[in-house]
Amino acid sequence: MSEADCLFCRIVAKEIPARIVHETDRTLAFRDVNPQAPTHVLVVPKDHYPTAAALAAADDGLTDEVIRAAHEVAEQEGIAESGYRLVFNTGPGAGQTVFHVHGHVVGGRDLNWPPG
């Protein structure tokens, strides 16, 4: 898939509408269209990296910014103190379906362990 075909790149470019809840110069956070909890927000870097591994390998502080943005979303959504889960599915075997790295901020209910 090219970056031009990437769903999340198109959301970042505002070509596809999304319910944006947080934005910085290098990150964007928007509500998941298929929420798995009362709070389910995706946090993406605006630049295209297909997986968390690719982001980590190319990191110039952007990984930190994505995680910082995820925590800011959790605070904004009122789940930071009660707890939230931050999930990065990496690769098809882990359930990644959109190959633009994204962290799921999930909370607002008790989250069981182990997951799925």
Side-chain angles (χ1 to χ4, degrees):
M1 172 182 291
S2 74
E3 290 178 39
D5 297 327
C6 173
L7 173 64
F8 292 168
C9 285
R10 295 187 66 205
I11 289 173
V12 166
K14 311 278 187 347
E15 295 171 5
I16 295 176
R19 293 175 49 206
I20 297 169
V21 299
H22 187 269
E23 185 170 6
T24 69
D25 289 343
R26 299 200 316 161
T27 66
L28 186 72
F30 50 93
R31 299 209 183 276
D32 194 298
V33 296
N34 184 26
Q36 301 300 304
T39 297
H40 190 163
V41 174
L42 304 179
V43 180
V44 303
K46 289 182 175 179
D47 291 336
H48 182 87
Y49 295 92
T51 64
L55 177 61
D59 191 9
D60 62 350
L62 185 54
T63 301
D64 296 346
E65 288 186 46
V66 170
I67 292 171
R68 189 175 311 113
H71 181 68
E72 290 171 4
V73 166
E75 287 182 330
Q76 175 183 308
E77 297 288 315
I79 61 171
E81 287 202 24
S82 61
Y84 61 95
R85 187 167 288 160
L86 183 56
V87 178
F88 289 84
N89 298 321
T90 301
Q96 186 178 5
T97 57
V98 177
F99 287 87
H100 182 124
V101 64
H102 55 285
H104 297 255
V105 180
V106 182
R109 68 169 171 81
D110 287 340
L111 300 170
N112 297 322
W113 193 262

